[in-house]
Amino acid sequence: MKNTLKTRLLSLALALVLCCGLFTALTSTAATTETKYGAAEEMATGVYTIVVPNITPTGMSAGAYYIDHGTAVNPGFLFKSFDEKNHDGAAVWKVTKVSDTECTIQNESKGDQGYINLSADYIGYGKKQNLNYEFSAGKVRFFVNDGGKKWYIRFTNSNRNESRFQSGTGEASHEFKLYGMITTTIEDPAPELVIPPLTGDPILTLACISDLHADYGLQNKAPYVRNSVIKTINAIAKNENADILLVGGDNTSDNGGTSHTGGWTKETFANVMDKYKELAAFATPDGYSLWAAGNHEFQAGEDEGYNSYAEYIDMMIEANGEPLSIFRQKDDTALANSKYPDFVLGMHYNIKNFDFIIINAPWGKSMQYSMGTYKWLSERLKSIGKEKTVFLLTHYPLTDSQNISTPTYGTSGSHYTSLTGILKSYPNLVFLYGHNHGGSENVYINDDTFERITSYTAKGKPVYDRNVIPTSFITCFMGSMSYYNYHLNPGGLTYDDPQIIQSLMVYVYNDRIVFQMKNYGKALADVVPLSWTVMRDIKSTLEDSTGNEDSTNTSTTPGSTSSGNGEGNETTDGTGNDATTNTNTGTTDTPTTGNTETGTGNSDVTNTNGDATTTDPVASDDSNLGLILGIVGGALALIGLGFGAFVFLSIRKKSAANKE
């Protein structure tokens, strides 16, 4: 009797295993995938047709052309017309990704001697050779470093009906697209992102301005700087009780004449710096401020032969104390012998328990940081960690930043790849920039702060949907004191203030970051743009993440959410009346309740080329998790079913024997 009871209990347990296994198998779903022919969006090992996207060879029509295998050994690579919809017969090449910067290209029909070889003034077939590559915005460049120069695979017109490829140092006509079998993985829809009611005050408030452009004779008479700057700082001091003032560069410029024609002298520069110091000290209770260098920063001292940005470094150290780390041109081996070896390329501060990093392009350069700066930045971020909130302050946007007036105004090419390659590993990083403040109606914020915010995926892909949950770093425009060349201020920048003046406010709470553009100009004065909220588990570098009592922030709290279904509650005094003393009273609005934002799933494109598709390992782990669980569950179900049947038959057999 006891054995029979024990056997029945075992059967019941196995039945439960069976049910669990069946439930897992039925409820576990794999992500949907679709494989089709198209252009690759990132480099991966596979079989590709290498295509020139747009060219007009001599004697041929404009269009796309692919690299044919040719018949001659050297160089033997010819143009042939390419049609994406009718690509059968187009030559394919085996492209093998060796590293994040190197690959090989092989005509497999030629075996070990079928690799593209490249050097100075030579391109042809040969033994395996690693080529460098740069992949950006769906286009790739192949090159080698030879004799201190980059030699690209370039395409050129010829006086025949066959155009040839060549090796050359010019950067024109050297971008290709890779066409192959592309598998798109559509993840299961992400859960709705609910924005809980806002409670409490910010633990950190940042006031951001950019492109102050003291110039055009403004520097020659009091107050030496733009009225738009004074007006904005007064409003920030009166209404925001900000913790730190962040300035995005181009604080001075030389568009209105050189020092030899009355533009800049040491005396005029000193007057401007004194005013900036006064305003920075007035803007926040503790006088903290950080100043990036723009592409115009060096001009104030250029004719006089001094490093004008050094004055900003001294001002920051005086206000904030010594930085945790400072990286100068003399610390970069490639720039050690530059004109101004003490010019600062990077600074790392910890203020109010949060980390702030400034990166600047080398002296006289624009939108391109040095390789040493990338290494230094990577090391600083590693020292901070991926879980902590970091604010990266720089002058330049990325080339794919939302509503940039033209991609050439942002960091692009290999520099884009180097920078985003670092940043994409830090999901709690906020990238703040200026620079692009003219030439389009989209450069200023009309009615939604998100108009110039871009979030990125863990693979470094830009996302322009305000309702998608960010999975990696975020970039945000800081506003401008000097918008130009748009319908209200046509033409170039002048002495006069623009009609639109905007400053970004960043409110950091324990569980979220709120981005809010504020208007201080004559135009849009009554418009409160919709704010954008990203939920974050905020962790600062010190144990006291809420700040000390004397830094408690009672600034205006925005009431809108990132879903766009709420209205901002801020009341901002945009009149900019000059204040003589900083009372820093601040105002606190009642937080809005019940607003939510919904996030939708996004599609990551995984490149799987050739007959045997190989999925990106990271994407594969995520997208196939449901399939793996289903297989495991099904296996458990079969095992349970078989064993349960075996036990059941054994019981029946034993029962029958007992009856006999």
Side-chain angles (χ1 to χ4, degrees), residues 82-294:
F82 175 75
D83 182 355
E84 182 179 353
K85 295 181 180 179
N86 185 22
H87 54 81
D88 291 341
V92 295
W93 301 80
K94 176 63 178 296
V95 179
T96 302
K97 180 179 177 180
V98 179
S99 69
D100 288 338
T101 58
E102 292 184 314
C103 69
T104 61
I105 305 175
Q106 181 189 18
N107 174 2
E108 291 187 285
S109 67
K110 289 185 173 292
D112 292 342
Q113 294 293 324
Y115 290 89
I116 290 184
N117 282 202
L118 181 65
S119 62
D121 294 324
Y122 173 80
I123 182 172
Y125 282 122
K127 294 182 179 180
K128 181 185 291 186
Q129 179 190 1
N130 287 358
L131 306 177
N132 298 106
Y133 72 84
E134 299 169 343
F135 209 113
S136 177
K139 296 180 181 179
V140 63
R141 310 179 189 91
F142 302 103
F143 66 94
V144 294
N145 292 298
D146 193 344
K149 297 181 179 180
K150 283 185 178 181
W151 293 85
Y152 293 90
I153 299 179
R154 300 180 65 239
F155 43 90
T156 179
N157 296 341
S158 73
N159 57 5
R160 314 181 324 166
N161 284 339
E162 294 173 339
S163 295
R164 293 183 176 274
F165 293 80
Q166 63 177 210
S167 172
T169 58
E171 293 195 3
S173 304
H174 67 325
E175 292 185 328
F176 301 89
K177 283 191 172 184
L178 305 180
Y179 280 84
M181 297 305 297
I182 312 298
T183 295
T184 301
T185 302
I186 305 174
E187 303 291 350
D188 294 332
E192 289 188 353
L193 174 63
V194 178
I195 300 294
L198 185 61
T199 59
D201 297 323
I203 60 175
L204 181 77
T205 298
L206 308 178
C208 308
I209 61 176
S210 189
D211 296 275
L212 285 57
H213 281 284
D215 194 356
Y216 304 96
L218 286 162
Q219 66 271 41
N220 293 324
K221 62 180 181 179
Y224 306 113
V225 301
R226 289 186 177 277
N227 184 62
S228 59
V229 179
I230 298 173
K231 183 177 183 179
T232 300
I233 294 296
N234 282 333
I236 290 170
K238 180 180 179 181
N239 299 315
E240 299 294 348
N241 195 23
D243 293 298
I244 309 172
L245 175 69
L246 303 183
V247 188
D250 276 3
N251 312 308
T252 59
S253 57
D254 202 15
N255 296 316
T258 66
S259 60
H260 299 307
T261 58
W264 287 101
T265 65
K266 284 191 175 182
E267 181 181 358
T268 55
F269 183 67
N271 290 334
V272 170
M273 286 304 303
D274 286 343
K275 190 63 178 179
Y276 281 158
K277 291 176 184 178
E278 176 190 342
L279 291 169
F282 181 70
T284 69
D286 296 319
Y288 291 124
S289 66
L290 295 172
W291 302 67

Side-chain angles (χ1 to χ4, degrees), residues 202-204 352-353 510 540 542-548 551-552:
I203 60 175
L204 181 77
K352 297 283 185 175
N353 305 331
N510 281 314
S540 54
L542 299 180
E543 291 183 359
D544 181 13
S545 62
T546 59
N548 298 321
S551 64
T552 302

